[in-house]
């Protein structure tokens, strides 16, 4: 307040919108036709986090967004592929492999959360972009944080099918909690998984 008068301050809402988008790093979902999010939310309120298709990590804050072409990924197939994973970390389960497969780039381990089937461009973090430069094609090992470098963890399936009742019984664990009069746990007994 100057001499009893409140000065007028011009605030640009565009600057606020840009700051919010930089800090939250989301994209409005109307850009993604094949999204499986329920459609009961207005398009301008539906957001998707942005992340790296190579290392499957979120790109947050002011970290630089980079882009890589489908052709660049194919050039590094020997480093990002299932064979590279097998060479450095052992054979990969077929179900896990399918969880990291994108149509058009079969055999390359990429994030299904952040990569789209048959896309021509992919968003990647600056570390993966640097590791996938053209002069790195001759490297044998996968990029440090890539899924192909042992970071393939996958997701738990909705349903687990067992080949026999015996296998199902052997894969379960029984937990018995003993509580005192106040409801506090005093002892936990667990059966072993065999």
């Amino acid at each position: 307040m100057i001499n009893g008068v409140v000065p007028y301050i011009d605030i640009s809402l565009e600057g606020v919108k840009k700051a919010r988008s930089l800090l939250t790093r989301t994209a409005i979902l109307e850009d993604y036709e094949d999204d499986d999010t329920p459609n009961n939310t207005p398009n301008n309120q539906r957001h998707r986090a942005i992340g790296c298709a190579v290392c499957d990590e979120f790109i947050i804050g002011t970290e630089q967004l980079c882009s890589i072409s489908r052709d660049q990924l194919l050039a590094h197939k020997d480093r990002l592929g299932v064979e590279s994973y097998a060479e450095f970390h052992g054979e990969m389960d077929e179900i896990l492999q399918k969880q990291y497969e994108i149509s058009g780039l079969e055999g390359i381990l990429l994030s299904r959360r952040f990569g789209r089937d048959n896309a021509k461009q992919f968003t990647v973090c600056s570390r993966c972009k640097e590791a996938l430069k053209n002069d790195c094609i001759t490297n044998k090992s996968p990029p440090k944080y890539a899924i192909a470098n042992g970071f393939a963890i996958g997701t738990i399936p909705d349903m687990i099918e067992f080949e026999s009742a015996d296998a199902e019984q052997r894969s379960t664990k029984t937990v018995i909690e003993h509580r005192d009069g106040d409801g506090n746990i005093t002892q936990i007994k667990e059966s072993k998984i065999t």
Side-chain angles (χ1 to χ4, degrees), residues 76-81 83-85 87-88 136-143 148-149:
H76 289 273
K77 184 174 183 174
D78 292 342
R79 299 177 64 211
L80 298 173
E83 292 81 16
S84 177
Y85 184 95
E87 181 181 339
F88 290 96
C136 297
I137 290 176
T138 57
N139 289 356
K140 295 289 183 196
S141 62
N149 198 13

Side-chain angles (χ1 to χ4, degrees), residues 23-38:
L23 292 174
T24 58
R25 284 288 194 200
T26 63
I28 294 177
L29 285 179
E30 63 191 4
D31 297 337
Y32 301 102
E33 304 282 329
D34 61 341
D35 183 64
D36 57 358
T37 303

Side-chain angles (χ1 to χ4, degrees), residues 103-122:
S103 293
L105 292 168
E106 288 81 3
I108 299 178
L109 299 172
L110 296 172
S111 171
R112 297 221 24 95
R113 291 190 304 171
F114 304 123
R116 296 282 172 237
D117 289 338
N118 300 310
K120 303 238 184 284
Q121 291 287 324
F122 294 86

Side-chain angles (χ1 to χ4, degrees), residues 66-69 72 124-133:
C66 300
S67 176
I68 193 166
S69 72
Q72 286 175 293
V124 293
C125 66
S126 55
R127 291 184 311 241
C128 289
K129 176 73 173 181
E130 184 70 24
L132 296 173
K133 284 183 171 179

